Amino acid sequence: TARTLKSSMVFNWRAPSTGVGSIRALCTVVQQKLTFWVQISSATVTQAAVPTTPPPTTSPSTTMPPQTPAPTQPPPTAQQNTQAPQANQIDLSTCGTSKSCYLAPAGCSFSSCAYIYTQQLLANNQDVRIELSSPVTGWVAVGFSADKTMGDDDVMACQLSSSRNGLVYIKNAHNRGYRNYIDNSKSPAVNLKNIITYFNNGRITCRFDRKMNTGAVTD
């Protein structure tokens, strides 16, 4: 499309004449060369089945003795799903209460989110717990900036090992202009505690605690 600012885009999809079952639309949004979002998913659209009416049948008339109606049972009461998230998942049920969350797309579940970032201030009021997750086989990261533009930013990245052996490393990096540089003095990242990383079902997930103010100039 034209390189003009847009607040929304509308696309029409022409469905085939035959049924295709449930579908989702996926898109990639690029803001800048190094700022982009992938696998942003729409809600699942399910094609309703067309009911078929069986042909009428005839049978001899019979007289049935009166029957006592069965006692009625009250309808089942809907219960909230309180099942705890799995160990390798991020609990999104506390978003907006005990922690702040950024989800893409908004309102997605753990398995359907293209990007998850959460932060939670810990009880000592000095450390913050950060969680990241994305269905990627490279890396997922978050950058902390003093303004709304890329450049001079502190970056925390969770990166899958190049050997693809399931190991995920946490690296500290720094944006200089539009380029990202690994901070070798902090790689593996220092000043982090309670580090947990996973690579499961094609999704990188990591959790760690760090100080809000490390004292470093680039943090």
Short mmCIF file of all heavy atoms in Angstrom, two decimals, residues 174-197:
data_model
loop_
_atom_site.label_atom_id
_atom_site.label_comp_id
_atom_site.label_asym_id
_atom_site.label_seq_id
_atom_site.Cartn_x
_atom_site.Cartn_y
_atom_site.Cartn_z
N HIS A 174 21.61 -3.19 23.46
CA HIS A 174 21.40 -1.74 23.46
C HIS A 174 21.19 -1.27 22.04
O HIS A 174 21.92 -1.67 21.12
CB HIS A 174 22.61 -1.03 24.09
CG HIS A 174 22.37 0.43 24.33
ND1 HIS A 174 21.57 0.88 25.35
CD2 HIS A 174 22.83 1.53 23.69
CE1 HIS A 174 21.55 2.20 25.33
NE2 HIS A 174 22.29 2.63 24.33
N ASN A 175 20.17 -0.47 21.84
CA ASN A 175 19.90 0.11 20.52
C ASN A 175 20.69 1.41 20.35
O ASN A 175 20.56 2.33 21.16
CB ASN A 175 18.42 0.40 20.33
CG ASN A 175 17.60 -0.85 20.12
OD1 ASN A 175 18.13 -1.88 19.73
ND2 ASN A 175 16.31 -0.77 20.38
N ARG A 176 21.49 1.45 19.29
CA ARG A 176 22.17 2.69 18.92
C ARG A 176 21.58 3.11 17.58
O ARG A 176 21.90 2.52 16.55
CB ARG A 176 23.68 2.48 18.81
CG ARG A 176 24.31 1.96 20.10
CD ARG A 176 25.77 1.61 19.89
NE ARG A 176 26.31 0.84 21.01
CZ ARG A 176 27.48 0.22 20.99
NH1 ARG A 176 28.23 0.27 19.88
NH2 ARG A 176 27.90 -0.45 22.04
N GLY A 177 20.75 4.11 17.62
CA GLY A 177 20.01 4.45 16.42
C GLY A 177 19.06 3.31 16.08
O GLY A 177 18.32 2.84 16.95
N TYR A 178 19.09 2.85 14.84
CA TYR A 178 18.21 1.77 14.41
C TYR A 178 18.93 0.42 14.40
O TYR A 178 18.43 -0.54 13.80
CB TYR A 178 17.64 2.06 13.02
CG TYR A 178 16.67 3.21 13.03
CD1 TYR A 178 17.04 4.46 12.58
CD2 TYR A 178 15.38 3.03 13.50
CE1 TYR A 178 16.15 5.52 12.60
CE2 TYR A 178 14.47 4.08 13.52
CZ TYR A 178 14.86 5.33 13.07
OH TYR A 178 13.97 6.37 13.10
N ARG A 179 20.07 0.32 15.04
CA ARG A 179 20.81 -0.94 15.09
C ARG A 179 20.90 -1.42 16.53
O ARG A 179 20.96 -0.61 17.47
CB ARG A 179 22.21 -0.77 14.48
CG ARG A 179 22.17 -0.30 13.03
CD ARG A 179 23.48 -0.55 12.33
NE ARG A 179 23.78 -1.98 12.24
CZ ARG A 179 24.87 -2.47 11.64
NH1 ARG A 179 25.75 -1.65 11.07
NH2 ARG A 179 25.08 -3.76 11.58
N ASN A 180 20.94 -2.74 16.66
CA ASN A 180 20.94 -3.35 17.98
C ASN A 180 22.29 -4.02 18.21
O ASN A 180 22.81 -4.72 17.34
CB ASN A 180 19.82 -4.39 18.07
CG ASN A 180 19.77 -5.08 19.41
OD1 ASN A 180 20.32 -6.16 19.58
ND2 ASN A 180 19.11 -4.46 20.37
N TYR A 181 22.87 -3.80 19.38
CA TYR A 181 24.18 -4.36 19.72
C TYR A 181 24.06 -5.13 21.03
O TYR A 181 23.51 -4.62 22.01
CB TYR A 181 25.23 -3.26 19.87
CG TYR A 181 25.49 -2.48 18.60
CD1 TYR A 181 24.70 -1.39 18.25
CD2 TYR A 181 26.51 -2.85 17.73
CE1 TYR A 181 24.92 -0.68 17.08
CE2 TYR A 181 26.74 -2.15 16.55
CZ TYR A 181 25.94 -1.06 16.24
OH TYR A 181 26.17 -0.36 15.08
N ILE A 182 24.60 -6.35 21.02
CA ILE A 182 24.64 -7.14 22.25
C ILE A 182 25.67 -6.52 23.19
O ILE A 182 26.79 -6.22 22.79
CB ILE A 182 25.00 -8.61 21.95
CG1 ILE A 182 23.89 -9.24 21.09
CG2 ILE A 182 25.19 -9.39 23.24
CD1 ILE A 182 22.55 -9.33 21.78
N ASP A 183 25.28 -6.32 24.42
CA ASP A 183 26.19 -5.80 25.43
C ASP A 183 26.97 -6.98 26.00
O ASP A 183 26.47 -7.72 26.85
CB ASP A 183 25.40 -5.09 26.54
CG ASP A 183 26.29 -4.32 27.49
OD1 ASP A 183 27.51 -4.64 27.54
OD2 ASP A 183 25.80 -3.41 28.18
N ASN A 184 28.19 -7.18 25.52
CA ASN A 184 28.99 -8.35 25.93
C ASN A 184 29.30 -8.34 27.42
O ASN A 184 29.54 -9.39 28.01
CB ASN A 184 30.28 -8.42 25.11
CG ASN A 184 30.02 -8.73 23.66
OD1 ASN A 184 29.16 -9.55 23.34
ND2 ASN A 184 30.75 -8.07 22.76
N SER A 185 29.33 -7.16 28.00
CA SER A 185 29.60 -7.10 29.44
C SER A 185 28.43 -7.62 30.25
O SER A 185 28.56 -7.91 31.44
CB SER A 185 29.89 -5.66 29.86
OG SER A 185 28.74 -4.85 29.70
N LYS A 186 27.28 -7.77 29.60
CA LYS A 186 26.09 -8.25 30.30
C LYS A 186 25.47 -9.44 29.57
O LYS A 186 24.27 -9.67 29.64
CB LYS A 186 25.04 -7.14 30.39
CG LYS A 186 25.50 -5.92 31.13
CD LYS A 186 24.40 -4.88 31.15
CE LYS A 186 24.86 -3.61 31.84
NZ LYS A 186 23.80 -2.59 31.84
N SER A 187 26.27 -10.18 28.84
CA SER A 187 25.75 -11.32 28.10
C SER A 187 26.58 -12.57 28.43
O SER A 187 27.74 -12.64 28.06
CB SER A 187 25.80 -11.04 26.61
OG SER A 187 25.13 -12.04 25.90
N PRO A 188 26.06 -13.54 29.19
CA PRO A 188 24.67 -13.58 29.62
C PRO A 188 24.33 -12.43 30.57
O PRO A 188 25.19 -11.91 31.25
CB PRO A 188 24.55 -14.94 30.33
CG PRO A 188 25.94 -15.26 30.77
CD PRO A 188 26.84 -14.69 29.71
N ALA A 189 23.05 -12.06 30.56
CA ALA A 189 22.61 -10.87 31.28
C ALA A 189 22.92 -10.98 32.77
O ALA A 189 22.75 -12.04 33.38
CB ALA A 189 21.12 -10.65 31.05
N VAL A 190 23.39 -9.89 33.33
CA VAL A 190 23.66 -9.83 34.77
C VAL A 190 22.52 -9.08 35.44
O VAL A 190 21.62 -8.56 34.81
CB VAL A 190 25.02 -9.15 35.05
CG1 VAL A 190 26.14 -9.95 34.44
CG2 VAL A 190 25.02 -7.73 34.51
N ASN A 191 22.60 -9.03 36.77
CA ASN A 191 21.58 -8.35 37.58
C ASN A 191 20.20 -8.96 37.41
O ASN A 191 19.19 -8.30 37.65
CB ASN A 191 21.51 -6.86 37.25
CG ASN A 191 22.82 -6.13 37.54
OD1 ASN A 191 23.49 -6.43 38.52
ND2 ASN A 191 23.19 -5.21 36.66
N LEU A 192 20.16 -10.23 37.00
CA LEU A 192 18.88 -10.92 36.86
C LEU A 192 18.78 -12.04 37.88
O LEU A 192 19.78 -12.67 38.24
CB LEU A 192 18.71 -11.50 35.45
CG LEU A 192 18.79 -10.53 34.28
CD1 LEU A 192 18.51 -11.27 32.98
CD2 LEU A 192 17.83 -9.37 34.46
N LYS A 193 17.56 -12.29 38.35
CA LYS A 193 17.32 -13.35 39.33
C LYS A 193 16.10 -14.16 38.90
O LYS A 193 15.29 -13.70 38.10
CB LYS A 193 17.08 -12.74 40.72
CG LYS A 193 18.26 -11.96 41.28
CD LYS A 193 17.95 -11.39 42.66
CE LYS A 193 16.89 -10.32 42.60
NZ LYS A 193 16.66 -9.69 43.93
N ASN A 194 16.01 -15.36 39.46
CA ASN A 194 14.84 -16.23 39.24
C ASN A 194 14.55 -16.40 37.75
O ASN A 194 13.40 -16.25 37.30
CB ASN A 194 13.61 -15.66 39.96
CG ASN A 194 13.85 -15.50 41.45
OD1 ASN A 194 14.48 -16.33 42.09
ND2 ASN A 194 13.35 -14.41 42.02
N ILE A 195 15.59 -16.73 36.99
CA ILE A 195 15.45 -16.88 35.54
C ILE A 195 14.80 -18.22 35.20
O ILE A 195 15.24 -19.27 35.70
CB ILE A 195 16.81 -16.78 34.85
CG1 ILE A 195 17.41 -15.37 35.07
CG2 ILE A 195 16.70 -17.06 33.36
CD1 ILE A 195 18.81 -15.23 34.53
N ILE A 196 13.76 -18.19 34.39
CA ILE A 196 13.10 -19.40 33.88
C ILE A 196 12.90 -19.22 32.39
O ILE A 196 12.37 -18.19 31.95
CB ILE A 196 11.75 -19.64 34.57
CG1 ILE A 196 11.93 -19.80 36.09
CG2 ILE A 196 11.07 -20.88 33.99
CD1 ILE A 196 10.62 -19.96 36.84
N THR A 197 13.34 -20.20 31.59
CA THR A 197 13.17 -20.11 30.14
C THR A 197 12.62 -21.44 29.61
O THR A 197 12.90 -22.51 30.17
CB THR A 197 14.49 -19.80 29.43
OG1 THR A 197 15.44 -20.86 29.69
CG2 THR A 197 15.08 -18.47 29.90
#
